[in-house]
Amino acid sequence: MSSTKPFSGADPASRNTEVSLNRRSLLSKLTAAGGAAALCCGQSFTAAAETSADAEPSGASLKAGDHFTRVGDGAGLSAIRLSDLPAGAAIMDVMPLDPATGKAREESRMNAVNLVRISNVPSGSPLEATQGVMAYSAICTHKGCKVNSWAPEQNRWRCFCHMSEFDVLANGEVVDGPATQPLPTIPIAIDAEGIITATAGFSSAPGAAD
Amino acid sequence: MKRRVVVSAICALAAVAHYGAKPVQADGYSAVTDERLKNPEAENWLSWRGNYGGWGYSSLEQITADNVKDLVPVWSYATGLTEGHQAPPIVNNGVMFVATPENNVIALNAKTGTEIWRYRRKLPKELFQLHPTNRGVGLYKDRVYLATLDACVVALDATTGKQAWETCIGDWKIGEYSTLSPLIAEGKVISGVSGGEFGVRGAITALDADSGKVAWKTFTIPAPGEPGSNSWRGEDWKTGGGSVWMQGNYDPDTKLAFFGTGNGAPWMPDTRPGDNLYTSSVIAIDVTSGAIKGHHQYHWNDAWDWDEVSAPLLIDYPRDGKDVKGLVHAGRNGYLWWLERSKGDINFVGAESYVEQNAFDKIDKKTGRPSYNQDKIPLLNKSAKFCPSLWGGKDWPPEAYNPKTGMLYIPSHINLCSEYGGAGTLDKLKPGELWLSVPVDVVFASLRFSDKVDQTKPVPTGSLQAFDIKTGKRIWETNFNDTPFWAPLLTTGGNLVFAGGTADRKFRAMNASSGKILWETSMPSGVTGVPSSYSVDGTQYIAVQAGWGVDAERMHALMQKILPADRKLPTVPQGGSIWVFALKK
Ligand code: FES
């Protein structure tokens, strides 16, 4: 029991020390731009950092007009068509394909998408327009694993990591497991050539929400 | 008049509240020395299992089998986080350090629960967390050390929480991550990476405690030309698993640290023919150089996801008239292993199953090498049912050893089996993506009851077992029906064993001599935290985190699928909290 050191206690100033390296660099940028009052007292200093950190983009860059493609299977980057998806089947872990460049938007795993085509589309349902095809973020809203199982009997996506399950017919709502937020969806259309096409970006930012 | 009374009552409340929120009045922080880690004081809990031997034993004896019925909560603290709260409250002279999911560390006054500081690691947004948990901090000198989910180690000032240094020892983008409590030995902070499910190659890294500089890095899987490398085919070693999930135990006399290692990757054994050293093993590492001085492989070419994650306990025991300087390990593979440690080699002494185990045909009496029942080995193209389940006889929750009772306590799962097989073909590894070789749909539906039990009645699935260290025989077992049992153990000088782990959210005290349940209390969430004990100003406390998640949650989900409608498990809410108990005054 050699050296002793006094405790600084729980005064606000000591909270500044919680700021991690990432935040610190973020803060120095803010300060340089005359942003947050970084020289002020601990509480508001920390609060400014939290807000800025939370506003970080999720990394997803999928855009309206994008197609979808399998990557890394050596098959070349062809756009996935309605004809690739039999009723009841899913194609998991695909990436948005920018039709202008012919390149997959692979820079972030947050772009990963699962496609599914449900069988027995009820008549009058908006799903008739896409013949039962739907697109969801493949990133689990629990802790960010890839949602990697499709249960056709129940129309559910399932995530192996902690067994969260999401209802495909209810906008990806959580029906089981520790996730609390629904899976983001992507509105889609089938174009004249039968290519599955995004008509807008993700309904909310993909990634772990908990 | 009435009115005035009310006002003064409010003032009194306000005064109390203010007093309670005042900074802790600790007059100093006691540096943690090598000497203290070797001989920790009874009033403190300085490392994740309380001592280098991994015992999970507190010699404090104020709380006893006779008075434990009077145990009441003294304070509690909400962490504000979900997922598996597994770390023990670690205590040094009245200051408590608790690691939580999301790699937060909270420093508290151990007597009052007042927060002193809180560290929150900024984890990468794209990080995927297969095991969103942490098993505790390490203490050395005036610093607190944390291993992180993005495979780094950070050193924090114990008095302020300020980060002194950070060293990353792995690459989270390829699936490497750390959940263990770092082992502190001889001025080094020793951590490791897991990620077998992502096809990583396990490694243990020692950092200089002062500077954070890497002292050595040792892979758990040898590269070509290194000893043991001929147990691998071709390039398989590069993605072969051997994860380091849990803290090592340490023998200061020989300067050897003992680490358990994970299974081979991917799961199906025919994707990586050979013994696959040093997967599912214990390795003895010289903490000075990082050299592997000895090993014992519990089972070769694993087929069952039986990581041998826990380090063996350093317990000396008599066998055949001889005193053995021992290593004792309750294997995930369902066998209780009795080994002998030395300056290098690890010798086999004996092994016997402690749960139903039908994958091993027999164990070689001299070497301890098991031979297998072929029909219990799943392959890429073949499904098999085997017992125990993929979570094994005992998963990560640590055993405990009580030198007073001379018993080893094992938190085990019984009557549970698994059935699965491979995907037919092996996908190419995509770095950072799950790479199991078994379809995940199959894993979702893989849990089975043993054929030997009557499933129409409640089935004992959790079993706390006590073994006599002298004879190696089971003395008692306390069973829990139809529930996961993820119960890290604490045993004390007051003849008690503390355990949670069940789906009914109870935290319990058992008589260490008989297994009889003496006390239990309901907690806000399931208890999968490691309990600890300490004392401040003459009062003994029992501390534990509640906070269900990770594998307890997974087993809960799979158990729901096999339980009949009238025996479904209760929902276990998530949400972490720290609880401290003492005898009613
Ligand atoms: S990351 Fe999907 S259930 Fe946890």
Side-chain angles (χ1 to χ4, degrees):
Chain A
M1 301 199 199
S2 50
S3 74
T4 59
K5 224 173 157 184
F7 261 89
S8 67
D11 58 295
S14 74
R15 289 175 189 243
N16 285 344
T17 58
E18 296 163 18
V19 176
S20 69
L21 291 177
N22 282 347
R23 277 192 202 162
R24 207 171 282 150
S25 57
L26 186 66
L27 278 163
S28 56
K29 276 183 214 140
L30 285 172
T31 317
L39 297 176
C40 173
C41 48
Q43 293 290 15
S44 61
F45 185 103
T46 307
E50 299 278 7
T51 317
S52 311
D54 288 351
E56 275 172 23
S58 78
S61 56
L62 175 143
K63 295 205 172 37
D66 279 358
H67 300 159
F68 299 96
T69 186
R70 289 184 164 109
V71 290
D73 62 358
L77 296 185
S78 53
I80 295 172
R81 292 162 189 271
L82 178 67
S83 53
D84 296 324
L85 251 182
I91 304 179
M92 285 181 278
D93 198 12
V94 301
M95 281 288 177
L97 176 69
D98 179 354
T101 62
K103 290 204 171 110
R105 298 193 199 273
E106 279 188 277
E107 59 278 7
S108 168
R109 67 188 287 277
M110 292 293 147
N111 276 331
V113 168
N114 287 338
L115 299 173
V116 65
R117 183 173 177 186
I118 59 153
S119 16
N120 308 323
V121 180
S123 75
S125 143
L127 277 174
E128 278 183 325
T130 62
Q131 301 195 41
V133 177
M134 283 184 280
Y136 277 91
S137 163
I139 305 298
C140 185
T141 56
H142 177 228
K143 293 289 169 193
C145 292
K146 290 250 177 93
V147 173
N148 47 15
S149 169
W150 163 241
E153 328 75 51
Q154 301 157 300
N155 287 314
R156 286 182 183 187
W157 294 122
R158 302 187 297 194
C159 176
F160 169 81
C161 275
H162 319 99
M163 318 257 158
S164 287
E165 304 195 10
F166 303 89
D167 187 345
V168 164
L169 295 181
N171 291 314
E173 287 297 340
V174 181
V175 275
D176 221 333
T180 60
Q181 299 299 312
L183 276 180
T185 56
I186 306 127
I188 54 148
I190 313 293
D191 77 4
E193 292 171 53
I195 295 174
I196 301 170
T197 309
T199 58
F202 289 103
S203 58
S204 57
D210 289 320
Chain B
M1 187 63 196
K2 239 182 190 174
R3 195 184 160 115
R4 208 171 285 159
V5 172
V6 173
V7 169
S8 57
I10 289 171
C11 286
L13 274 178
V16 170
H18 180 253
Y19 176 73
K22 267 179 101 176
V24 66
Q25 298 298 315
D27 37 20
Y29 182 75
S30 322
V32 175
T33 59
D34 293 286
E35 200 38 52
R36 292 185 64 203
L37 287 171
K38 277 179 215 163
N39 299 297
E41 313 84 12
E43 65 267 27
N44 288 320
W45 194 270
L46 297 179
S47 59
W48 98 290
R49 294 307 283 146
N51 72 3
Y52 270 148
W55 290 3
Y57 171 71
S58 165
S59 60
L60 295 174
E61 47 189 18
Q62 190 176 76
I63 302 166
T64 66
D66 289 335
N67 64 21
V68 71
K69 61 182 187 313
D70 296 326
L71 207 59
V72 291
V74 176
W75 60 263
S76 62
Y77 179 101
T79 67
L81 299 165
T82 56
E83 269 306 326
H85 287 61
Q86 301 180 344
I90 286 177
V91 178
N92 179 22
N93 285 351
V95 186
M96 177 185 286
F97 302 96
V98 182
T100 69
E102 303 297 326
N103 289 149
N104 285 204
V105 180
I106 308 165
L108 304 130
N109 179 317
K111 192 173 168 180
T112 64
T114 307
E115 179 184 312
I116 301 167
W117 53 256
R118 181 166 183 157
Y119 167 85
R120 299 168 201 261
R121 183 156 180 84
K122 184 90 181 119
L123 291 167
K125 173 83 180 159
E126 296 208 351
L127 181 76
F128 34 87
Q129 301 182 34
L130 187 58
H131 293 83
T133 190
N134 183 279
R135 276 89 186 222
V137 298
L139 301 184
Y140 190 55
K141 294 188 179 165
D142 52 6
R143 291 212 179 127
V144 178
Y145 298 91
L146 176 77
T148 71
L149 287 168
D150 52 342
C152 302
V153 176
V154 293
L156 308 174
D157 183 307
T159 61
T160 65
K162 185 177 172 171
Q163 186 171 303
W165 54 254
E166 163 190 284
T167 302
C168 294
I169 62 168
D171 179 1
W172 65 265
K173 289 195 170 143
I174 65 165
E176 292 178 330
Y177 57 109
S178 303
T179 55
L180 73 175
S181 162
L183 168 67
I184 312 293
E186 314 300 330
K188 296 192 176 66
V189 182
I190 305 171
S191 186
V193 292
S194 47
E197 277 63 39
F198 299 96
V200 308
R201 180 183 175 214
I204 298 170
T205 304
L207 306 173
D208 178 80
D210 285 336
S211 66
K213 289 213 172 74
V214 175
W216 50 258
K217 176 171 184 173
T218 300
F219 286 95
T220 58
I221 295 179
E226 292 174 351
S229 56
N230 59 4
S231 66
W232 291 90
R233 173 191 71 181
E235 308 272 280
D236 296 348
W237 60 277
K238 288 185 177 168
T239 52
S243 293
V244 179
W245 291 104
M246 305 296 297
Q247 173 172 333
N249 291 327
Y250 181 58
D251 185 346
D253 292 342
T254 56
K255 301 223 181 331
L256 292 178
F258 298 91
F259 278 85
T261 62
N263 59 323
W267 283 9
M268 289 301 92
D270 46 342
T271 62
R272 45 177 165 76
D275 278 9
N276 308 143
L277 288 172
Y278 301 99
T279 62
S280 296
S281 301
V282 48
I283 50 178
I285 294 197
D286 179 344
V287 300
T288 319
S289 65
I292 297 178
K293 297 284 191 183
H295 77 277
H296 176 82
Q297 188 171 46
Y298 299 110
H299 61 274
W300 46 279
N301 192 231
D302 172 83
W304 310 278
D305 190 28
W306 289 337
D307 299 81
E308 294 300 345
V309 297
S310 300
L313 277 61
L314 276 59
I315 304 172
D316 299 341
Y317 55 87
R319 273 301 175 281
D320 305 328
K322 242 181 56 184
D323 282 335
V324 179
K325 281 186 112 35
L327 296 170
V328 185
H329 172 65
R332 183 143 153 190
N333 63 23
Y335 273 67
L336 178 53
W337 297 86
W338 303 87
L339 306 172
E340 182 183 36
R341 65 189 198 273
S342 69
K343 287 200 174 109
D345 292 341
I346 296 172
N347 304 314
F348 173 74
V349 176
E352 242 176 283
S353 63
Y354 65 94
V355 297
E356 180 189 356
Q357 213 280 17
N358 61 17
F360 293 1
D361 176 31
K362 55 178 184 301
I363 303 265
D364 184 280
K365 285 206 166 65
K366 247 185 138 146
T367 63
R369 183 184 172 87
S371 53
Y372 299 156
N373 291 323
Q374 294 304 313
D375 61 330
K376 302 296 178 198
I377 305 177
L379 298 170
L380 255 186
N381 273 308
K382 185 188 110 189
S383 190
K385 180 176 175 184
F386 56 86
C387 313
S389 79
L390 65 88
W391 285 292
K394 186 197 79 73
D395 201 284
W396 77 269
E399 317 93 312
Y401 169 60
N402 189 323
K404 265 185 152 175
T405 61
M407 288 185 213
L408 173 78
Y409 306 97
I410 305 173
S412 65
H413 281 116
I414 56 173
N415 296 323
L416 291 175
C417 308
S418 286
E419 183 167 4
Y420 61 64
T425 51
L426 180 62
D427 287 340
K428 226 176 123 217
L429 172 76
K430 282 197 219 161
E433 298 301 342
L434 211 57
W435 192 56
L436 294 181
S437 70
V438 175
V440 291
D441 299 342
V442 171
V443 182
F444 267 101
S446 60
L447 192 67
R448 303 280 182 275
F449 283 122
S450 161
D451 292 335
K452 296 188 174 160
V453 296
D454 177 0
Q455 299 177 28
T456 63
K457 296 198 198 94
V459 177
T461 49
S463 179
L464 178 58
Q465 307 187 32
F467 284 80
D468 185 337
I469 214 79
K470 288 205 180 75
T471 62
K473 298 274 171 269
R474 188 190 287 110
I475 306 288
W476 56 258
E477 58 188 306
T478 297
N479 293 340
F480 303 92
N481 292 342
D482 288 348
T483 178
F485 184 57
W486 291 76
L489 302 180
L490 162 72
T491 183
T492 70
N495 197 28
L496 292 166
V497 179
F498 288 88
T502 47
D504 59 7
R505 298 184 278 117
K506 293 271 169 54
F507 182 53
R508 301 180 168 90
M510 267 75 55
N511 183 309
S513 302
S514 68
K516 191 170 173 237
I517 298 172
L518 301 173
W519 170 87
E520 61 180 27
T521 189
S522 284
M523 302 284 269
S525 178
V527 179
T528 59
V530 177
S532 64
S533 188
Y534 60 94
S535 76
V536 183
D537 298 338
T539 300
Q540 182 186 359
Y541 298 95
I542 305 292
V544 73
Q545 291 200 84
W548 193 251
V550 205
D551 279 293
E553 171 102 32
R554 283 193 198 111
M555 183 185 271
H556 185 281
L558 294 204
M559 219 179 232
Q560 281 305 38
K561 294 182 201 293
I562 60 170
L563 283 169
D566 59 339
R567 285 173 24 218
K568 292 287 184 208
L569 295 170
T571 297
V572 187
Q574 289 216 350
S577 48
I578 307 164
W579 287 80
V580 171
F581 301 90
L583 292 176
K584 199 159 40 190
K585 286 238 158 87

